[in-house]
Amino acid sequence: MAELKRLSESRDLTRIERIGAHSHIRGLGLDSSMEARDTSEGMVGQLHARRASGLILQLIRQGKIAGRAVLLAGQPGTGKTALAMGIAKSLGAETPFASVAASELFSLDLSKTEALTQAFRRAIGVRIKEEAEIIEGEVVEISIDRPLSASGVGGSSVAPSGATAAGKSGRLTLKTTDMETVYELGGKMIEALVKEKVQSGDVIALDMASGKVTKLGRSIGRSRDYDAVGPHTKFVKCPDGELQKRKEVVHCVTLHEIDVINSRGSGAD
């Protein structure tokens, strides 16, 4: 359980994505007949290349290209990385994507072989199943009590932020179709809820061992509260039964993340 907690912490770090040239891409921008739209899912132009990438995507989904690689060749700026990311995004949010520039291999302290090995292992994902105690329900209300004075601690510019995080407290009201309960919140849990942008009407799951917060979607019962919602808004039913339950949880991690966790464990010994 401790290793899974460290695994969750490692994934929180790796989930931080920079805003770059390809951060807006959400897929290949193909229609139901696998034809490329002019502008869709962040992709513009390269219609023939996107359609060809769609054929590769179908082969991957059907398991007919396992153990093989695809080489995309072209001049700089023609969209090779964008096509690769579009394929990864189309396969699902859990599909890892690793991008490395040739110049990075010559600037690293590691050998080129080690650097390439790490890049490959960042691009290979595995699923780990476990049974965990979770709290799952619809958010009724979140109230956060912030300290009145969060500055002037020892005259240091670093101390006030730490004092604010430690001083935060609050309450979270969750419900299922059968019950409703109020939970006291600490600073770390509040930060996790803020990070996931949890609000009233969301259906969430809290891992009791690691404290990880997962937003499952918006409650169907609250769908009429808003005139407009984003295209990626997912509506789910309010959970039934008890709030606290034992459930099989699947963690999706890369081989590189497992390497990092194993190296930390061996270093601690």
Side-chain angles (χ1 to χ4, degrees):
M1 190 65 69
E3 286 203 359
L4 285 171
K5 184 176 182 180
R6 286 183 299 183
L7 191 65
S8 176
E9 293 173 355
S10 174
R11 286 202 56 78
D12 288 340
L13 292 176
T14 56
R15 282 290 184 182
I16 300 175
E17 298 180 358
R18 67 180 177 86
I19 302 300
H22 306 100
S23 57
H24 62 288
I25 294 175
R26 304 186 305 276
L28 289 171
L30 304 176
D31 58 21
S32 57
S33 60
M34 300 304 291
E35 293 293 335
R37 303 186 184 95
D38 290 336
T39 303
S40 180
E41 295 183 318
M43 301 290 284
V44 179
Q46 292 285 19
L47 303 183
H48 295 295
R50 285 159 55 195
R51 187 176 184 278
S53 299
L55 296 177
I56 298 298
L57 178 64
Q58 285 185 323
L59 291 175
I60 295 173
R61 287 173 172 169
Q62 295 171 7
K64 296 181 179 180
I65 198 173
R68 300 182 181 180
V70 178
L71 175 63
L72 303 178
Q75 294 295 321
T78 53
K80 300 183 296 297
T81 304
L83 289 172
M85 180 174 285
I87 293 174
K89 293 289 186 179
S90 299
L91 289 171
E94 297 174 349
T95 303
F97 179 82
S99 177
V100 58
S103 57
E104 296 178 21
L105 301 179
F106 293 91
S107 61
L108 293 173
D109 295 333
L110 300 173
S111 67
K112 298 177 182 62
T113 302
E114 180 64 22
L116 286 173
T117 300
Q118 287 190 8
F120 279 120
R121 293 181 73 81
R122 284 192 184 98
I124 301 175
V126 295
R127 290 188 176 97
I128 300 176
K129 293 183 180 180
E130 66 152 349
E131 284 193 355
E133 292 286 343
I134 66 169
I135 299 174
E136 188 176 271
E138 178 185 334
V139 177
V140 178
E141 182 183 9
I142 301 177
S143 59
I144 300 175
D145 302 324
R146 293 180 173 84
L148 294 176
S149 60
S151 59
V153 181
S156 170
S157 59
V158 179
S161 60
T164 303
K168 281 184 180 179
S169 62
R171 289 165 298 281
L172 171 67
T173 306
L174 292 176
K175 74 171 184 178
T176 65
T177 55
D178 301 324
M179 62 181 300
E180 181 174 317
T181 305
V182 179
Y183 296 92
E184 296 292 330
L185 300 176
K188 290 185 177 180
M189 184 58 68
I190 291 174
E191 290 179 2
L193 292 171
V194 172
K195 179 181 176 182
E196 293 296 325
K197 299 179 181 178
V198 175
Q199 57 183 331
S200 177
D202 288 338
V203 178
I204 63 173
L206 307 177
D207 191 323
M208 297 182 64
S210 64
K212 183 180 179 181
V213 178
T214 303
K215 187 157 65 171
L216 305 177
R218 296 285 298 171
S219 173
I220 293 178
R222 303 291 293 272
S223 61
R224 298 180 180 273
D225 293 356
Y226 302 93
D227 295 331
V229 295
H232 301 289
T233 302
K234 179 182 178 182
F235 288 99
V236 297
K237 293 182 179 180
C238 178
D240 55 6
E242 298 287 332
L243 278 164
Q244 184 174 334
K245 60 191 72 174
R246 192 166 186 84
K247 191 175 182 181
E248 186 179 81
V249 179
V250 179
H251 301 276
C252 297
V253 296
T254 66
L255 295 181
H256 177 70
E257 290 168 350
I258 295 177
D259 294 339
V260 172
I261 293 170
N262 291 336
S263 64
R264 289 176 180 173
S266 60
D269 295 340

